[in-house]
Amino acid sequence: MKLWQKVFLVSLVFIVLAVDMTAVMVVQINFSTIINREKQQAITKQEYIEKILSSSIVNKRLNGDAYHVQEKPLFLNQEQVESTLRNIELKPYNIDNSDIMILNDQDEVIRGESLNILKQEAKFVETVKNQQNYSSLIEEYNHKSYLITGSSLNLESKNYQLYTIIDISLLYEQYYNQHLLIQGVAFIFASVLSIILLMITLKLLNPLKTLNQSILKIAHGQYHLRLPEEGTVEFKELASNINIMAESIERDANKIQELADNRKEFIHYLAHEMKTPLTSVLGFADILRVKKDVNEKERREYSNIIFKEAKRLQSLSTKLLELVTTDQTVLELENISIKELFEDVQKSISPILDKNHITLFVNYEDASLCVDKTLFKSLLYNLVDNAMKASKEGQKILLEAHHKKDVIEIKVCDQGIGMSQDQIEKVVEPFYMVDKSRSRQSGGAGLGLALCVEIVKVHGAELLIESELGKGTCVIIRMKGESVIENV
């Protein structure tokens, strides 16, 4: 069962029950009031009849002619009292004789015809005999309802019981008819209310339906979708939270997609980069294997090509492995001086620089850096190597380090071809080359700067590139240094 159906049914049941119970209580209270009024009127009638009966007995006793004696009797005897009670005419007093019953102390009927009604209520009769107060009882007899009011009456030192019996069947019939009317009204009210309540429920829960449909669309990949923040405060808050969630999912999905695209492009470039040197190696190796007559010049030429392409593959595979694993490497940090780092890099790269007739100038203010020595040497080597590939014969490369407040600034600058602003933004991407033909001739794979960025990142440093076409490039590394050792 859906939420709107549950809300509708539960609300309808409670409202109908509340209305029905209220109406029943009102009818019941009204009926109780009417019955109590009837009882009070019956008691008033009972008192009135008692006075009529007592007056009649007194008049009978005071009327001496009735007994043909000179002296009036002090009390009438029981037979005289009962005869008087039996013969009193009550119609002149607007009292119906059928409503009156009089019993003596032996429960013998003196007047009245409703003894069968009293026989059903022996306890009530006994109560009337033993107390002076008025007692009332509602009795069902022959499918009719009667209000019986009884009281004990003392006449001429004799005890009698006076009962007035009133037919109140009409009141009960009206009471039952009111119940039927309430049930009919409640049914009509429930029908009208159910329609109104259904419309209100659907309107109030309509934003929830919209939210549900939107969430389903988001779950199927429409991460750009945003929900309208409308409706009640709760729905606005829910829509806002869902929008925040969708935005977060979209952002993460875009990152994942971007990562997947980068990996795909990475693999594509890798396959492309490895295909050329592998083809050359296999081709010239096959020539050496198949061709029987290979002179010394050809052998040197072919083997030189194979050696260069193998070196290129070695450089490519090494840098690729470093690039992939850099963010997962546990750094072996140690304090090492800038002097030691620069000297190691200078020794490693000098043969290549001499071969290309490029001069490396080193200038630094010595300080202690807390770095992973192997990775940081690779960083500096790659930067100098990139500068060398961008330079021509006879040009210079500068490797320097200086203090700027509490920051050590390391620079690698060349006088090479330089880069435009667009090229600067792309140069740190894997496999990107400013001059592809020149880089391939020098064994480049386009991974150097991408690797440098990763190494700088894991050391918590900052890498900046300043360049201008035709005027060279300067790569700057900014990081915190330890105590200054010496100035050179």
Side-chain angles (χ1 to χ4, degrees), residues 1-9 201-202 205 208-209 212:
M1 186 179 290
K2 294 184 177 180
L3 178 60
W4 72 266
Q5 294 173 331
K6 292 180 181 179
V7 172
F8 168 70
L9 291 177
T201 302
L202 291 176
L205 295 180
L208 186 62
K209 180 180 178 182
N212 186 44

Side-chain angles (χ1 to χ4, degrees), residues 36 92 112 120 122 158 171 181 263 279 285 305 317 406 427 430 450 471:
N36 289 332
Q120 295 183 159
K158 298 291 182 180
L171 294 178
L181 178 63
R263 291 293 172 88
T279 302
I305 293 173
S317 61
D406 59 342
V427 75
K471 294 185 179 181

Side-chain angles (χ1 to χ4, degrees), residues 66-81:
Y67 299 96
H68 306 285
V69 294
Q70 296 296 325
E71 295 182 2
K72 296 183 175 103
L74 186 62
F75 292 106
L76 297 179
N77 59 37
Q78 184 173 355
E79 182 181 351
Q80 292 172 330
V81 172

Side-chain angles (χ1 to χ4, degrees), residues 3-111:
L3 178 60
W4 72 266
Q5 294 173 331
K6 292 180 181 179
V7 172
F8 168 70
L9 291 177
V10 171
S11 301
L12 181 63
V13 168
F14 275 103
I15 292 175
V16 170
L17 283 177
V19 172
D20 195 41
M21 289 177 65
T22 302
V24 168
M25 288 177 63
V26 170
V27 172
Q28 185 65 42
I29 292 172
N30 183 57
F31 180 70
S32 298
T33 303
I34 293 173
I35 292 297
N36 289 332
R37 187 179 63 218
E38 289 294 322
K39 287 181 178 181
Q40 190 61 44
Q41 290 176 352
I43 291 173
T44 303
K45 183 178 181 180
Q46 185 94 347
E47 292 175 343
Y48 181 54
I49 294 172
E50 285 180 354
K51 290 179 181 179
I52 293 173
L53 295 177
S54 297
S55 299
S56 298
I57 295 298
V58 171
N59 288 335
K60 186 69 175 177
R61 176 165 35 88
L62 294 177
N63 189 358
D65 295 340
Y67 299 96
H68 306 285
V69 294
Q70 296 296 325
E71 295 182 2
K72 296 183 175 103
L74 186 62
F75 292 106
L76 297 179
N77 59 37
Q78 184 173 355
E79 182 181 351
Q80 292 172 330
V81 172
E82 292 181 2
S83 175
T84 302
L85 294 175
R86 195 177 292 114
N87 296 317
I88 293 176
E89 184 63 40
L90 295 177
K91 286 186 177 179
Y93 301 100
N94 295 324
I95 298 174
D96 188 356
N97 290 328
S98 63
D99 294 340
I100 302 300
M101 278 198 70
I102 302 175
L103 305 180
N104 60 21
D105 54 357
Q106 284 81 36
D107 293 337
E108 295 173 347
V109 178
I110 299 174
R111 183 173 184 151

Side-chain angles (χ1 to χ4, degrees), residues 122-332:
K123 290 184 178 180
F124 176 70
V125 173
E126 192 66 27
T127 301
V128 173
K129 288 172 64 176
N130 295 328
Q131 67 178 21
Q132 298 298 319
N133 296 329
Y134 294 94
S135 299
S136 297
L137 172 69
I138 296 177
E139 177 65 25
E140 295 289 332
Y141 184 75
N142 286 341
H143 306 293
K144 288 188 176 183
S145 299
Y146 296 93
L147 173 60
I148 304 172
T149 305
S151 63
S152 179
L153 182 62
N154 188 279
L155 298 172
E156 303 299 296
S157 300
K158 298 291 182 180
N159 290 324
Y160 297 90
Q161 302 164 46
L162 174 63
Y163 296 94
T164 56
I165 302 172
I166 303 173
D167 187 354
I168 57 172
S169 300
L170 182 60
L171 294 178
Y172 273 92
E173 184 178 348
Q174 291 176 347
Y175 173 68
Y176 295 136
N177 289 336
Q178 285 179 342
H179 268 286
L180 292 175
L181 178 63
I182 286 174
Q183 291 177 2
V185 171
F187 176 77
I188 296 173
F189 178 78
S191 301
V192 175
L193 182 64
S194 62
I195 296 173
I196 298 174
L197 188 61
L198 179 61
M199 295 173 62
I200 294 174
T201 302
L202 291 176
K203 182 175 180 59
L204 290 176
L205 295 180
N206 186 58
L208 186 62
K209 180 180 178 182
T210 304
L211 291 177
N212 186 44
Q213 293 174 345
S214 301
I215 291 173
L216 186 62
K217 291 179 181 179
I218 293 174
H220 283 83
Q222 299 184 30
Y223 304 126
H224 64 281
L225 190 64
R226 296 296 180 270
L227 307 182
E229 297 181 12
E230 56 187 20
T232 62
V233 176
E234 291 79 5
F235 283 122
K236 287 181 180 179
E237 184 177 352
L238 180 59
S240 176
N241 291 336
I242 292 175
N243 286 337
I244 293 173
M245 179 191 69
E247 185 177 350
S248 177
I249 293 174
E250 182 181 18
R251 185 168 56 251
D252 292 342
N254 289 338
K255 286 182 179 178
I256 293 172
Q257 185 61 46
E258 184 180 357
L259 180 61
D261 292 341
N262 290 341
R263 291 293 172 88
K264 184 178 179 180
E265 186 178 8
F266 187 90
I267 294 172
H268 172 74
Y269 284 142
L270 174 63
H272 182 270
E273 289 291 333
M274 295 187 72
K275 182 178 179 180
T276 303
L278 275 175
T279 302
S280 298
V281 169
L282 290 173
F284 286 104
D286 188 57
I287 291 174
L288 290 175
R289 181 178 63 87
V290 175
K291 192 175 182 180
K292 294 181 179 179
D293 299 327
V294 179
N295 57 40
E296 184 64 21
K297 182 180 179 182
E298 289 177 331
R299 185 186 67 77
R300 285 182 175 274
E301 181 183 356
Y302 296 159
S303 59
N304 188 46
I305 293 173
I306 292 172
F307 177 77
K308 287 183 177 180
E309 293 300 321
K311 289 289 288 182
R312 183 177 167 192
L313 276 175
Q314 182 187 36
S315 174
L316 176 65
S317 61
T318 301
K319 290 181 180 180
L320 176 63
L321 181 63
E322 289 177 337
L323 179 63
V324 172
T325 60
T326 296
D327 59 343
Q328 300 175 357
T329 302
V330 179
L331 299 181
E332 297 179 3

